[in-house]
Structure formats: C-alpha cells, structure tokens
Amino acid sequence: MMTEPSPRMLAPPRPRTCRKLSSSDFTTTSWLPRSVPTRKAAQRLADEQLVELLTEINGIGRWSVEMLLMFNLQRLDVLPATDYGVRKGFALTYGKSTKNGELALPTPKELLAHGERWRPYRSIPSWYMWRATELDD
C-alpha cells in the first residue's frame, strides 16, 4: 500500500548529505524548489497555476502534474492531451484511421479542440478513452 510522502521526505537534502554523495551535478538548490505546495495549498490553486509551479521541478512535466490533478486532487476538468492512452482511445472511440486502415492518433492540439465540448468534465471522457484501449483486441 502506498502512503503519501511526508514533508520531510520531500525536503531538499542537507548540504552535508550532498557532499557525501559527491555528485558533481547535484546541488541542493536544483533538487526541489522550496515553493512546492502542501496538498492543502495545492487544492486551493487553479490547475494551470499548479502546472506552472510544479513543472519548475527537474523531471516533472505537464503530464505528471495532470495525473496529480486527476488522481490525487480529483479535479474533473483535466484533459491529458499528450497521453498516448487518451489519444489512442480517442482514435478508437471516434473511428479515426488513415487511408490504409491504420489508427490515426489525434494530435494534442486536435484533442484539446475536440475536448472543449467536454468542459467542465474533461477528466471523465479521459478515463473512458483509457478504458477504450482495453477493448482493442
């Protein structure tokens, strides 16, 4: 069973610990910004504010924040348009294919444009798009 990380687990390592690691490219200032919000604070932020804030962390991209928004903060209006499963599920659900019959995945831009009609509940169709890929047998 997974547990939520404690603030201590997310705190930047102490400089003395970093020196012991002897990694030349590891610095305490680049590991984790001090501006990472608590869960309570994150719940008060708008989706885009949270995306901007958390993508400043090395290794955290938009997709990671979108998954946090959907599954941890339970936001209902998130459309992870770059997610392969959502794109593939969309193509399967809407019968999108090329002339030679191959599946034609929508671009993230196309998916976002189509997804406007799902506002303010874009997370729900995303879940269905993921499930549609399981029917592709």
Side-chain angles (χ1 to χ4, degrees):
M1 180 158 78
M2 293 183 66
T3 60
E4 289 191 24
S6 68
R8 185 180 195 134
M9 290 171 63
L10 294 175
R14 296 181 180 159
R16 186 172 59 220
T17 305
C18 294
R19 283 191 292 276
K20 287 179 184 176
L21 292 173
S22 70
S23 175
S24 60
D25 59 349
F26 186 83
T27 63
T28 55
T29 56
S30 68
W31 185 72
L32 190 63
R34 294 265 183 211
S35 58
V36 174
T38 63
R39 180 186 172 102
K40 194 176 227 178
Q43 288 174 326
R44 290 190 300 262
L45 293 173
D47 293 352
E48 279 306 312
Q49 286 177 304
L50 208 48
V51 168
E52 286 179 32
L53 185 65
L54 294 179
T55 54
E56 290 177 9
I57 301 170
N58 242 356
I60 303 292
R62 182 175 191 85
W63 181 88
S64 299
V65 180
E66 289 169 342
M67 296 304 109
L68 171 85
L69 288 166
M70 289 178 73
F71 297 110
N72 193 286
L73 299 178
Q74 301 174 343
R75 302 282 175 93
L76 292 175
D77 193 28
V78 179
L79 177 57
T82 60
D83 185 273
Y84 179 77
V86 172
R87 293 172 61 212
K88 182 178 178 183
F90 180 88
L92 290 167
T93 302
Y94 288 93
K96 304 292 183 182
S97 59
T98 61
K99 290 180 182 177
N100 60 2
E102 292 179 21
L103 200 58
L105 299 182
T107 65
K109 186 176 180 179
E110 291 169 337
L111 188 54
L112 285 170
H114 186 90
E116 283 302 310
R117 67 188 74 186
W118 298 330
R119 274 189 191 274
Y121 301 107
R122 295 180 298 169
S123 296
I124 296 168
S126 298
W127 300 332
Y128 280 103
M129 297 305 131
W130 278 313
R131 294 305 301 252
T133 63
E134 297 171 6
L135 302 174
D136 183 37
D137 289 331

